[in-house]
Amino acid sequence: MAAFFRKRALDEKHPDSPPPATAPGAPDVSSSEEAGMVDEGVLGPDDLHRGMRPRQLNMMAIAGAIGTGLIIGTGTALRFGPGSLLIGYVLMGFVVYIVMVALGEMGAWLPHKKSFSGYATRFVDPAMGFATGWNYFFKYVIVLPNNLTATGIILQYWVKDLNVSVWIVVFGVVIILLNLIHVRFFGEAEFWMSLAKALVIIMLILMCFILSLGGSPSGFRSGFWYWTEPGAFAEYNVRWKDDYFYVHGSTGRFLGVWACIVQATFAYLGTELVGVAFGETPDPRKNVPRAVNQTLLRIVFFYVAGVLVLGMAVPYDSPELLRATRERIGGLASPFTVAAQRAGVDKLADAVNGMLLVFTISAANSDIYLASRTVWALAKDRQAPEIMERTNKRGVPIPAVALSSIFIALGFMNATKDATTVFGYFVSLVTVFGALNWIAVLVSYISMIRAMKVQGIPREIMPYRNPLLPWGSYIALMVTILVIIFSGYSAFIPQFQIDKFMTSYIGIVVYLVNILVWKWLKKTKRVRPEEMDLLTGRRA
């Protein structure tokens, strides 16, 4: 077996060798859009089409998942010091990069169209695939109306008389149409919105960098002054009633670092969006590694460089920063706006407000795409109603898109204060599902690597290999588990808060219950390494 796979590896390194003759009765895939790939058989009537263009995938990898977590959420984390902020984003940047390259290795070697749940079903346990898929689906159909609500709130900055519900309907119809036409139209919309987001982030980073080097009207050159005065690490503090509660000393500074790690985790969630698009991308062996490598550019330049220059331009004890963190959403809530205000530039809030529209609309557009493809993949594995796997002649899963779109109606809950509170609990509850998905990806990858060793398949046969793997996957898995376990630390400070505790941890319970229930109903078993299918989907 090992000798066979080594020979295959040598054959793939010498493309000039004559191709093997096609077996009688075998499907001819040479002229199909799969171009030399056997991806779970020939294209069926209820199958996704590989209509995503490489440039669309690459741009989505660079800026597709950048959301309000970077533009607004960094303000809350900056209160714990620029050093804490940088550590949090560097550490979790490493984790999310490992998740992406693990996806890249699996997607380039054994490409399929069943999203993350398909890998968990194939490499770990069908029960884990079931739980991963449905949890991922519910995460995005819950945050979908939340993103549309945020869009309406931003627009109220200019049009104060219109109810948020109107904007939910308007933009809800737009993104539904984008997801119903063809994946190429979705990809094109995401390409231009991602490009706009990338330009916005570049502009904000350059602005903070220039201001910190003395380019403001006042001429003050801060540099890294704020790293020494007031300092790089602040004591943990949380707003409690009408005041702030502080945890002093080294414990407080450690909690400050940990708060930034947790915030960075949720800011990076959604980076795996490009992994779902792998199933609709032509020539995965070439385009998947290219897209995965683009994520490193996004992490280093947009996230790490962004928080670095932000810490140079705004001190963590700035009164303007404290006021910004109390804003719900909008330009005034962004720490980048605070940096401009402190430098004497007063009109940036209007510009940032307009830029945030692109972020929230892009996020809502991606939410329907991710949810629909996830439930389609579940149906393909017989873990969702059969009707959800149906697609039209353009390869669009119409029933899955329709099911995902129904949840837009939850946005109307924000029309009343009590319903808004309840809906906020739902959003907090499903946020942890994104981190649980990272665990599913890493566990699937580790299981695949172990099976390769047992079956005598050398890693050299894989068309894409990253030098940080496989050892990096164990580190990333450990860090992600720790973040999930201790993400609810704030529920105990300054005293126990049952609502925070429940929203932090009930998602984990739901995930585990889904696994156990599916195992009990379907009597599934863990996939044994020697029995794992490592051939289906391989290059013809």
Side-chain angles (χ1 to χ4, degrees), residues 272-353:
E272 70 280 355
L273 157 67
V274 69
V276 178
F278 288 167
E280 296 178 83
T281 304
D283 196 0
R285 291 170 67 93
K286 180 177 72 174
N287 293 318
V288 167
R290 183 182 300 168
V292 167
N293 289 331
Q294 301 285 358
T295 61
L296 181 61
L297 170 65
R298 180 237 298 266
I299 292 168
V300 172
F301 185 78
F302 292 152
Y303 285 96
V304 176
V307 299
L308 178 63
V309 298
L310 191 60
M312 294 169 62
V314 181
Y316 70 74
D317 61 352
S318 166
E320 296 91 345
L321 180 63
L322 291 178
R323 283 197 297 269
T325 57
R326 298 173 191 170
E327 294 284 338
R328 188 177 179 186
I329 195 170
L332 294 175
S334 173
F336 292 96
T337 301
V338 173
Q341 289 174 339
R342 287 178 54 84
V345 182
D346 298 325
K347 298 298 182 181
L348 187 67
D350 291 347
V352 171
N353 218 51

Side-chain angles (χ1 to χ4, degrees), residues 178-214:
L178 283 174
N179 279 271
L180 284 177
I181 302 173
H182 191 281
V183 68
R184 188 168 296 167
F185 287 92
F186 164 83
E188 195 66 17
E190 276 301 301
F191 173 84
W192 290 108
M193 286 190 283
S194 297
L195 178 61
K197 289 192 289 185
L199 294 175
V200 168
I201 297 296
I202 291 172
M203 183 200 74
L204 294 176
I205 290 175
L206 290 177
M207 179 199 71
C208 285
F209 184 67
I210 292 170
L211 292 178
S212 64
L213 293 183

